[in-house]
Amino acid sequence: MTRRRAIAGSLTILGALLSAAVLAAPARAASEYNLPYGVTPISHAVYRLHMLAFWMMCGIGLIVFGLIFYSVIFHRRSRHPVPAKFHENTVFEIVWTILPFFILVILAVPAARLLLRMENLRHSQLTVRITGYQWLWRYTYPRYGINVYSRLSNSSLAAVQYGRHLSPYAVPHYLRSVSHPMVVPTGEKIRLLVTGGDVIHAWWVPALGLQIDANPGLINAMWIKILKPGVYRGACNQICGWGHGYMPIVVVAKPPQQFLEWVRHWRAMHRGPGQGDFPPHPLGL
Ligand SMILES: [Cu+2]
């Protein structure tokens, strides 16, 4: 009797602690720890798929752990000193074979459809070629004849090189800011052609719901359509050498008119043969 009371007591305390933890966590925290909702139709679809899988796992976890706790509590040895000796149950065997099959189908169908949608490049309005190098990114806009070399910002670079004299905490967006961002228009379907110039890199921006491998000798294509103007930060997400941490990604999405303004400005500023030059090495080697 006392043992049962102890079990019931500890379960009550555990439940109270768990519900307190859930209630105490503000709604903002949930969105901080969860997959980002992002700013593109693809990132929204990825989020919905993620939540579908999440709630299905919650349901499965609830059933499985519920059964375990039920058995531990109500079929413990003090209650049933002599164990039951039944064996096999055809109905259960069939149910727990068919049920996981349907769970897999429910997850696989939307996942496959989303993959196809991610790779559907039809009706793209703009193409940006992205090339990863050790350790910077190049953005080429074939339509406008623009080449943007995007390397670690000077402020972050100074903090890397003079770390003892310049605190990284004093640098805004330390290791997350670049010399020249990738500028794109909002609301347009943009085709991204991604490749590597030397070794394997990966172009990854969480808010866009994308990570595209940048492999030398291979072009990977995906598309984005940014719905909200803003600054979206990412990073190379494939270990590519010692400077891997020094090639962040910054995407600036502007309304189409402002984007064209940027194009005009860029072309005026970078006329002549110099504009395609490969910049010096980010860390001065
Ligand atoms: Cu890299």
Side-chain angles (χ1 to χ4, degrees):
M1 193 63 193
T2 42
R3 198 186 290 175
R4 186 188 292 179
R5 230 179 249 173
I7 292 171
S10 36
L11 277 179
T12 313
I13 290 168
L14 190 71
L17 281 175
L18 276 177
S19 40
V22 169
L23 289 176
R28 207 180 104 255
S31 63
E32 260 175 30
Y33 293 117
N34 203 354
L35 194 77
Y37 184 59
V39 290
T40 67
I42 290 293
S43 78
H44 295 168
V46 168
Y47 179 85
R48 282 194 296 270
L49 185 63
H50 159 79
M51 290 315 288
L52 172 72
F54 174 80
W55 288 119
M56 281 172 73
M57 281 188 284
C58 284
I60 294 167
L62 217 62
I63 293 168
V64 170
F65 285 104
L67 281 172
I68 290 174
F69 281 116
Y70 167 79
S71 309
V72 165
I73 293 162
F74 294 101
H75 295 275
R76 59 186 191 275
R77 195 165 68 170
S78 58
R79 260 201 171 188
H80 298 277
V82 185
K85 289 230 170 67
F86 64 83
H87 204 268
E88 282 170 39
N89 185 317
T90 317
V91 177
F92 274 123
E93 298 273 353
I94 290 170
V95 167
W96 65 50
T97 305
I98 289 176
L99 214 64
F101 172 77
F102 279 110
I103 290 170
L104 286 181
V105 170
I106 290 171
L107 285 173
V109 170
R113 286 174 61 150
L114 180 54
L115 276 179
L116 289 175
R117 195 175 153 203
M118 278 175 161
E119 309 233 335
N120 180 355
L121 302 168
R122 267 175 291 178
H123 309 301
S124 309
Q125 291 155 278
L126 181 71
T127 296
V128 181
R129 273 184 7 223
I130 302 174
T131 314
Y133 295 100
Q134 287 174 319
W135 285 276
L136 49 99
W137 294 96
R138 179 175 68 168
Y139 303 107
T140 305
Y141 301 70
R143 181 191 293 169
Y144 302 112
I146 288 177
N147 247 328
V148 176
Y149 287 100
S150 183
R151 42 176 272 196
L152 190 65
S153 68
N154 283 334
S155 53
S156 281
L157 189 59
V160 172
Q161 288 175 325
Y162 311 112
R164 249 178 291 167
H165 310 289
L166 177 60
S167 165
Y169 297 106
V171 176
H173 302 294
Y174 176 60
L175 296 186
R176 307 278 277 156
S177 58
V178 294
S179 56
H180 303 289
M182 170 178 153
V183 181
V184 288
T186 51
E188 284 182 21
K189 184 169 179 175
I190 301 161
R191 182 170 66 150
L192 304 177
L193 303 178
V194 181
T195 188
D198 35 43
V199 299
I200 298 176
H201 304 266
W203 195 83
W204 174 57
V205 181
L208 308 184
L210 279 188
Q211 175 181 306
I212 315 174
D213 285 341
N215 299 326
L218 189 79
I219 294 172
N220 283 323
M222 281 196 195
W223 63 277
I224 52 172
K225 186 184 199 171
I226 301 180
L227 304 171
K228 223 171 83 186
V231 180
Y232 307 107
R233 292 172 201 277
C236 179
N237 205 11
Q238 186 72 250
I239 298 282
C240 55
W242 64 264
H244 168 65
Y246 305 123
M247 49 183 297
I249 296 162
V250 179
V251 177
V252 174
K254 295 171 183 269
Q257 275 309 315
Q258 288 180 30
F259 168 75
L260 288 175
E261 204 103 308
W262 171 82
V263 168
R264 249 173 265 135
H265 181 74
W266 184 275
R267 288 174 64 144
M269 296 293 288
H270 299 83
R271 226 179 300 206
Q275 81 111 347
D277 284 357
F278 205 81
H281 189 279
L283 291 178
L285 282 179

